[in-house]
């Protein structure tokens, strides 16, 4: 056989997918109140039990994670974490070989990398006292003891939560600030989920 089809006839819809922590940027709490409520209703319609949580952009990543852990420990059905907005971004690791396939020695893709997975690993210690790496072309990626960036280059253990983030800050090629872009994104997301728009099945490849 060259291909297989797996189909369900009169197969029941999934009405309970478990719990989901909806972690939202505090900046959007008032100005995007209606859009966030619509997103929550769409998630509920998909079968999720939604637990909303707001975080400020100035919080530490450890404080944000602590509040996620509190919900997780009290709501045993939680499976997923959806981050909406510019919640503080964890950084971690000492990458010598760029993990995205860039050429070794190019300078801009080594040392620490953004690591939202920190928020999804709820039962391990992430340390910040070993790695001392200052080879990256961007000082933002340097990682030294005590700087708030973690040591781990690999995830310490299996993660407890599925994880995704929508963050449209510093998207300079688009007109409008991140609040407007998130508003447009959430409307388009709702329209797609309710069948008002459809997406063409196509891809884009840029091989330089």
């Amino acid at each position: 056989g060259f291909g297989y089809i797996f189909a369900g006839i009169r197969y029941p819809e999934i009405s309970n997918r478990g719990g989901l922590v909806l972690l939202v940027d505090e900046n959007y709490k008032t100005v995007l109140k209606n859009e966030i409520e619509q997103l929550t209703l769409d998630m509920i319609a998909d079968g999720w039990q939604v637990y909303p949580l707001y975080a400020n952009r100035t919080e530490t990543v450890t404080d944000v994670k602590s509040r996620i852990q509190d919900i997780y420990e009290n709501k045993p059905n939680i499976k997923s974490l959806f981050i909406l907005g510019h919640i503080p971004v964890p950084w971690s690791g000492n990458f010598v070989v760029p993990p995205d396939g860039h050429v070794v020695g190019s300078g801009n893709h080594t040392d620490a990398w953004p690591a939202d997975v920190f928020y999804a690993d709820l039962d391990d210690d992430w340390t910040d006292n070993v790695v001392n790496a200052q080879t990256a072309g961007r000082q933002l990626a340097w990682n030294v003891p005590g700087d708030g960036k973690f040591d781990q280059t690999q995830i310490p253990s299996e993660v407890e939560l599925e994880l995704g983030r929508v963050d449209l800050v510093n998207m300079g090629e688009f007109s409008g600030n991140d609040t407007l872009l998130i508003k447009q994104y959430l409307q388009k997301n709702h329209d797609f989920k309710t069948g008002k728009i459809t997406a063409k099945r196509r891809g884009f490849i840029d091989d330089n």
Side-chain angles (χ1 to χ4, degrees), residues 60-151:
T60 66
V61 296
T62 52
D63 285 345
V64 174
K65 181 173 180 174
S66 177
R67 295 200 285 130
I68 296 171
Q69 288 172 314
D70 287 342
I71 297 177
Y72 179 78
E73 291 170 0
N74 289 288
K75 306 292 183 182
N77 67 330
I78 290 179
K79 295 169 52 179
S80 297
L81 171 64
F82 186 106
I83 302 174
L84 182 66
H86 202 53
I87 304 299
V89 178
W91 287 67
S92 189
N94 181 14
F95 290 92
V96 178
V97 178
D100 63 348
H102 275 83
V103 177
V104 175
S106 59
N108 289 325
H109 305 276
T110 54
D111 296 357
W113 272 60
D116 274 346
V117 69
F118 168 76
Y119 289 134
D121 181 21
L122 300 178
D123 62 359
D124 262 295
D125 291 329
W126 289 60
T127 58
D128 178 21
N129 52 27
V130 177
V131 171
N132 190 344
Q134 301 179 57
T135 63
R138 296 181 305 155
Q139 188 171 344
L140 177 64
W142 291 2
N143 191 357
V144 299
D147 64 351
K149 300 185 179 80
F150 299 104
D151 298 320

Side-chain angles (χ1 to χ4, degrees), residues 149-162:
K149 300 185 179 80
F150 299 104
D151 298 320
Q152 283 65 34
T153 300
Q154 295 182 337
I155 306 169
S157 67
E158 292 186 3
V159 297
E160 281 66 53
L161 301 178
E162 305 163 337

Side-chain angles (χ1 to χ4, degrees), residues 26-36 179-180 183:
E26 189 82 38
N27 283 20
Y28 306 144
K29 186 173 184 178
T30 301
V31 292
L32 298 181
K33 180 176 181 292
N34 292 337
E35 288 79 8
I36 294 169
T179 301
L180 177 60
K183 179 183 177 74

